[in-house]
Amino acid sequence: MTPRVMIVEDEEALGLLLRYNLEAEGYAVEVVTRGDDAEMRLLETVPDLLLLDWMLPGISGIELCRRLRARDATRTLPVIMLTARGEEQERIRGLATGADDYVVKPFSVPELMARVRAMLRRSKPEVIASLLKAGDIELDRETHRVRRSGRELHLGPTEFRLLEYLMKSPGRVFSREQLLDGVWGRDVYVDERTVDVHIGRLRKAVNRGRVKDPIRTVRGSGYSFDDQFAMA
Ligand code: CA
């Protein structure tokens, strides 16, 4: 079951960034850029979660949220509000209107992804798989444990997130820049070579004495979790 997320955001670049990251996490994503369009769309279909910008053309996020709470079909729809800095009063109003959570722009994408996952785990545990499996590797997102052939691997926090990120999309090649955005977060300025360092550590921890390397280096492009390995 693929969890469905609707984004209502009129800043095109932000909408794209969120879509990209949510799709990489395995969600089905729809982006709507106006409040009134979102209201119409939500009459037709109700997603598993709504990311709702505050300031929108058509009707505002806050008004849309209030209306959604008044309808049976969307009364319990999880809503995360995206608010601009300095809208403290509005945030309080937002929560009072029935938003379940809010993040302040500019936010860290990995943090928002974690909030989305946490909220879905509460509201729809059946759509969030906590265990990722590929070949003889098992990664548990709840307990943060990783096993290979049943034996526990000891990964640092960054290596864990890196492995989790790659394992979610076997076969997909991520550039170093994409990995930095998805694993370290957009606001963190680190050199792209940092990715290589952590990939090296991850490989060392995962492959200890083994021949089969699940991580593929794609020359000139980046890295991916080997889908051949995932099939094995
Ligand atoms: Ca806006």
Side-chain angles (χ1 to χ4, degrees), residues 9-11 53-56 105:
E9 172 57 71
D10 58 324
E11 276 171 57
D53 183 29
W54 175 271
M55 301 290 275
L56 287 168
K105 294 178 186 175

Side-chain angles (χ1 to χ4, degrees), residues 181-227:
D181 280 355
V183 176
W184 279 261
R186 265 215 155 178
D187 308 329
V188 184
Y189 294 97
V190 281
D191 196 86
E192 290 193 357
R193 298 216 349 234
T194 305
V195 175
D196 301 329
V197 171
H198 285 275
I199 286 278
R201 286 188 198 156
L202 176 60
R203 276 194 167 124
K204 203 169 162 199
V206 167
N207 295 333
R208 209 169 276 267
R210 284 169 224 264
V211 187
K212 248 183 138 186
D213 184 357
I215 295 154
R216 202 160 64 91
T217 303
V218 183
R219 204 173 284 274
S221 301
Y223 298 101
S224 83
F225 194 90
D226 193 342
D227 50 356

